[in-house]
Amino acid sequence: MILERFLGSMLLVLIGMFANVLGAFVGINIGTDVSSMPSASDVVAVVKAHQITHIRLYDADSHMLKALADSGIEVTVGVTNEEVLGIGESASAAAAWINKNVASYVPSTNITAIAVGSEVLTSIPHAAPVLVTAMNNLHKALVASNLNSLVKVSSPQSMDIIPKPFPPSTAAFNSSSNSTIYQLLQFLKNTNSYYMLNAYPYYGYTNGNGIFPIDYALFKPLPSVKQIVDPNTLFHYNSMFDAMVDATYYSMDALNFSGIPIVVTETGWPWQGGSNEPDATVQNAETFINNLIRRVSNNSGPPSQPTIPINTYIYELFNEDKRTGPVSEQNWGVLFTNGTAVFPLSLSGSSQITGNSTTVFCVAKDDATEDKLQDGLNWACGQGQANCSAIQSGQVCYLPNNLKNHASYAYNDYYQKMHSVGGTCDFDGTATTTTNNPSYGSCIFTGSSNSSTGGGISPPVAFGPISPLGESAKLPVSKAQLLIAAACLVVVLL
């Protein structure tokens, strides 16, 4: 057992070597509960325009898989929760699924993974007994089609199966699911696959009863007196995201499994919510997503596995307005269906920003008090003669309905019209200038390169580093590095 765990640890180190050489990626989920869902070809065009290299589908839609042919985009296809039972009970059903939804499209469509169900252990627990059987049946069908080396099989699970994720070092899977989870981990180990984790700091924060500060959930730096430290390992956690990933590694270790890397298949932050969801704001969503991209793109892992990058899929591409539940459920998308960004998206390792330009904008400061913002807004829309029609109820910039958003629009409109004749961006200390275009969706701020048209496609944003040639940036790889790493891997596997 000690030797096996040592080899598992060595394998993780080697996986980290390869991953760091190639660079971590940030992909995106594409949900379809959208009333005005673009055609498959239009969706792929948007994905290409934004230089997204990895996507996850929740099914195996034939139109999408055909549209993705010859794009090079890596695709994770999904077995729906409704299909899990049938595939788990019938090897022939699994073979038919692989023939129809995978073998028919590769290699033209670059399918690299199958996600079996969505949070099966918590969303459809009655299917848990056949989950791993379904995964095995699919894997055997891939072997029969000689595709098992190209396509990995796994199953996304919620953080809910880890009842006490903090401190990470003492985290463990829910004991009632241990049997299924053990079988799942054994399958992943045997097939050299990876653990798919859905990790949402938004829910960790909003359901946390104020235990953790919101800055911790948003990847913001914490003051020294509020550092989050695991008392057993003394590891410092700079974000709830890292702590969630580490809690999962420790939970696997508690079942004596190591050497299984984690890929975060879902994470995100809603940009609008109901009256009882005050943390679902454009500002918080923008902060979380951009900081997430920077975090993942630094190619490091959580404190317990620092050499293993955390490949991650953002939830999600478009708002799914047909979803039921709280208002926030319909507002996780980073793009509107016309291709415009909900909020500016910065690129890790690059100064580029969606909608970035040489224009200087005037926006409200984050720490401005509401009283002063209201005074500034009143002055700008009154004596300052800013055009504030767009922030009136029912207009394109009314939502999100808060003082900071409305003041930013009014401040900027005033500044764009008056700075050439001496107008300043101060408003009693509540405003600041920025080169980051604050436009979002159909709300176009004065001074934007597309403000005269009132809309349009934002400049492409890549969910990962951008090279000078516009391709996804990868760390340089020497043949010697690859040969050494490969040789070490062979030695370990022997």
Side-chain angles (χ1 to χ4, degrees), residues 371-386:
D371 287 345
K372 284 193 172 183
L373 280 177
Q374 187 66 64
D375 290 342
L377 175 61
N378 292 342
W379 188 92
C381 295
Q383 186 177 341
Q385 299 184 351

Side-chain angles (χ1 to χ4, degrees), residues 120-191:
V120 168
L121 299 184
T122 49
S123 61
I124 51 168
H126 65 276
V130 299
L131 173 61
V132 180
T133 304
M135 297 169 70
N136 264 309
N137 287 344
L138 290 165
H139 178 71
K140 289 175 182 176
L142 288 171
V143 171
S145 299
N146 199 30
L147 294 173
N148 57 297
S149 62
L150 300 176
V151 183
K152 296 300 179 185
V153 177
S154 188
S155 179
Q157 300 303 328
S158 163
M159 278 298 297
D160 290 342
I161 64 173
I162 303 175
K164 297 179 180 179
F166 196 88
S169 61
T170 60
F173 292 115
N174 191 324
S175 58
S176 64
S177 304
N178 266 0
S179 176
T180 301
I181 294 169
Y182 186 92
Q183 296 173 42
L184 170 64
L185 295 175
Q186 191 66 64
F187 171 85
L188 300 178
K189 184 82 169 178
N190 292 343
T191 59

Side-chain angles (χ1 to χ4, degrees), residues 231-419:
N232 303 306
T233 62
L234 300 183
F235 285 144
H236 285 241
Y237 286 90
N238 296 323
S239 71
M240 189 179 291
F241 177 82
D242 278 73
M244 287 178 163
V245 174
D246 239 359
T248 308
Y249 273 122
Y250 280 110
S251 296
M252 288 193 281
D253 189 65
L255 291 179
N256 294 318
F257 282 94
S258 58
I260 302 173
I262 292 171
V263 170
V264 175
T265 36
E266 289 182 18
T267 192
W269 197 284
W271 58 269
Q272 187 175 331
S275 59
N276 61 338
E277 299 175 295
D279 302 299
T281 67
V282 170
Q283 180 183 348
N284 285 345
E286 177 184 349
T287 299
F288 179 86
I289 295 297
N290 286 323
N291 284 342
L292 170 74
I293 293 170
R294 281 188 283 271
R295 165 65 189 90
V296 173
S297 299
N298 72 17
N299 295 324
S300 67
S304 79
Q305 306 289 344
T307 64
I308 313 301
I310 311 172
N311 292 327
T312 299
Y313 292 82
I314 291 172
Y315 183 84
E316 61 185 329
L317 186 64
F318 301 129
N319 290 328
E320 293 187 273
D321 60 318
K322 293 167 64 177
R323 289 181 66 88
T324 58
V327 174
S328 61
E329 279 296 307
Q330 304 171 9
N331 293 287
W332 292 79
V334 297
L335 299 179
F336 292 104
T337 52
N338 65 0
T340 58
V342 174
F343 46 78
L345 289 163
S346 64
L347 308 177
S348 177
S350 169
S351 60
Q352 298 181 52
I353 293 177
T354 303
N356 193 36
S357 73
T358 56
T359 303
V360 174
F361 298 90
C362 179
V363 297
K365 289 182 177 179
D366 290 340
D367 59 354
T369 65
E370 290 200 354
D371 287 345
K372 284 193 172 183
L373 280 177
Q374 187 66 64
D375 290 342
L377 175 61
N378 292 342
W379 188 92
C381 295
Q383 186 177 341
Q385 299 184 351
N387 183 354
C388 297
S389 59
I391 55 176
Q392 303 306 307
S393 180
Q395 299 305 306
V396 292
C397 297
Y398 177 70
L399 295 175
N401 179 20
N402 60 61
L403 273 175
K404 181 176 182 295
N405 179 66
H406 291 177
S408 290
Y409 187 89
Y411 288 0
N412 182 70
D413 189 82
Y414 166 83
Y415 181 73
Q416 299 300 332
K417 294 174 180 176
M418 303 301 294
H419 76 275

